[in-house]
């Protein structure tokens, strides 16, 4: 199979990645075109020691990191990419690449390490840097719905370390609904089973009926959430969780969700 046939199926996704990375449609497409021209002239450069999709992104980032095209990220017309892409364009280059590979393109940390030619621990550090830089741009108020004190305290530490404010910690559905009446949060972290036998799922349903807000479910019972029925949550973390995982998912949820309202002033 020729290289053209091998990579054709992946090109639409590479174009999406390139546009998001550069912050502009025309510039992103220009980088992809530069890569394709390079492959036409020297097809032997295409790596054979990794899956084709990984190899394609690896080669693209070699172009991105070595070639500077005029007008990068300067477009402001109807084809520019909007607020989320403008925010990501301000993140440091290598953390931005790692974040997009994982959060947008769905590569694992191991695959991302191969694409970027770094170790997996380095990828985790890059994701943490990206998460912190993102959080400073979309800092918001967070409601934690969690009935286990130590877990709630751990989540509160993670949230505040990212620059967000914990507005309330609720241990039951009724406490969560009361907290939302006092102030609508920009993000919710919710357990599924709560102290009085009530459900974080039910609390979330009632909350989003009033206004859409990104919700991350953190639960020891993912099977109760991933039932195959719709709607299912976009963001789900299993207990016991890793700190880095929570940080990355919080940043991802806020970064790509335009309904999350950032704090003003000090944020």
């Amino acid at each position: 199979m020729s290289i053209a046939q091998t990579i054709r199926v992946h090109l639409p996704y590479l174009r999406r990645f390139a546009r998001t990375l550069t912050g502009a449609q025309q510039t992103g497409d220009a980088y992809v075109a530069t890569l394709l021209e390079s492959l036409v002239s020297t097809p032997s450069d295409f790596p054979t020691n990794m899956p084709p999709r990984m190899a394609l992104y690896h080669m693209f980032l070699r172009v991105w990191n070595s070639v500077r095209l005029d007008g990068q990220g300067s477009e402001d017309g109807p084809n520019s990419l909007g607020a989320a892409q403008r925010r990501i364009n301000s993140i440091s280059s290598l953390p931005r690449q790692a974040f997009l590979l994982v959060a947008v393109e769905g590569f694992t940390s191991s695959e991302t390490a191969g694409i970027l030619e770094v170790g997996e621990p380095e990828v985790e550090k890059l994701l943490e840097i990206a998460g912190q830089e993102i959080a400073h741009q979309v800092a918001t108020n967070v409601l934690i719905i969690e009935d286990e004190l130590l877990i709630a305290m751990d989540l509160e530490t993670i949230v505040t370390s990212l620059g967000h404010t914990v507005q309330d910690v609720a241990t039951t559905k009724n406490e969560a609904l009361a907290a939302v009446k006092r102030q609508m949060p920009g993000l919710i972290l919710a357990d599924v089973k709560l102290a009085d036998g009530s459900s974080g799922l039910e609390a979330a349903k009632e909350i989003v009926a009033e206004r859409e807000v990104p919700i991350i479910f953190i639960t020891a019972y993912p099977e109760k959430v991933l039932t195959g029925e719709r709607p299912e949550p976009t963001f789900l973390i299993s207990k016991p969780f890793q700190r880095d995982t929570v940080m990355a998912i919080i940043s991802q949820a806020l970064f790509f969700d335009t309904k999350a309202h950032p704090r003003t002033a000090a944020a």
Side-chain angles (χ1 to χ4, degrees), residues 65-263:
N65 289 315
S66 61
V67 177
R68 184 74 177 182
L69 299 181
D70 292 337
Q72 180 182 320
S74 63
E75 295 170 31
D76 195 29
N79 292 326
S80 59
L81 291 176
Q85 284 74 12
R86 287 195 295 273
R87 288 198 296 266
I88 205 164
N89 216 30
S90 69
I91 302 172
S92 306
S93 180
L94 199 55
R96 182 163 85 243
Q97 294 170 37
F99 180 81
L100 287 175
L101 288 170
V102 173
V104 178
E105 301 305 316
F107 287 106
T108 65
S109 292
S110 176
E111 291 169 334
T112 299
I115 292 169
L116 296 178
E117 295 184 294
V118 300
E120 278 194 68
E122 180 66 17
V123 170
E124 297 303 322
K125 291 179 183 178
L126 292 171
L127 292 175
E128 183 172 349
I129 291 170
Q132 290 171 344
E133 293 187 15
I134 291 167
H136 287 311
Q137 299 177 56
V138 290
T140 192
N141 299 310
V142 180
L143 170 63
I144 297 174
I145 307 174
E146 171 59 65
D147 62 332
E148 296 185 48
L149 177 60
L150 292 179
I151 294 177
M153 291 174 62
D154 195 13
L155 291 174
E156 189 166 1
T157 299
I158 294 171
V159 165
T160 54
S161 74
L162 286 171
H164 306 300
T165 298
V166 176
Q167 69 176 54
D168 267 303
V169 177
T171 61
T172 67
K173 172 186 172 182
N174 287 337
E175 287 182 8
L177 296 178
V180 168
K181 286 183 179 179
R182 289 192 295 271
Q183 180 182 3
M184 179 62 76
L187 174 70
I188 297 173
L189 307 180
D191 193 2
V192 173
K193 295 183 67 174
L194 301 176
D196 61 349
S198 60
S199 167
L201 282 171
E202 293 303 318
K205 287 179 182 178
E206 293 193 26
I207 291 169
V208 297
E210 296 295 324
R211 198 200 81 186
E212 291 188 72
V213 58
I215 300 176
I216 301 171
F217 287 97
I218 304 175
T219 176
Y221 306 94
E223 70 279 0
K224 294 185 181 295
V225 180
L226 301 176
T227 61
E229 301 174 358
R230 292 294 184 267
E232 288 184 341
T234 301
F235 304 106
L236 178 65
I237 299 173
S238 297
K239 291 180 180 177
F241 54 76
Q242 297 294 320
R243 174 186 174 88
D244 288 347
T245 300
V246 178
M247 293 177 73
I249 296 300
I250 287 175
S251 297
Q252 182 180 343
L254 287 173
F255 193 79
F256 290 103
D257 196 300
T258 57
K259 297 177 290 297
H261 287 241
R263 293 201 315 270

Side-chain angles (χ1 to χ4, degrees), residues 23-69:
Q25 176 180 323
Q26 185 175 345
T27 307
D29 287 349
Y31 271 100
V32 173
T34 300
L35 167 63
L36 296 179
E37 290 168 2
S38 174
L39 284 175
V40 168
S41 62
T42 54
S44 59
D45 286 348
F46 192 75
T48 58
N49 61 341
M50 61 180 70
R53 183 167 180 253
M54 284 181 60
L56 183 63
Y57 280 73
H58 171 72
M59 287 206 67
F60 174 81
L61 287 174
R62 285 177 58 184
V63 172
W64 159 259
N65 289 315
S66 61
V67 177
R68 184 74 177 182
L69 299 181

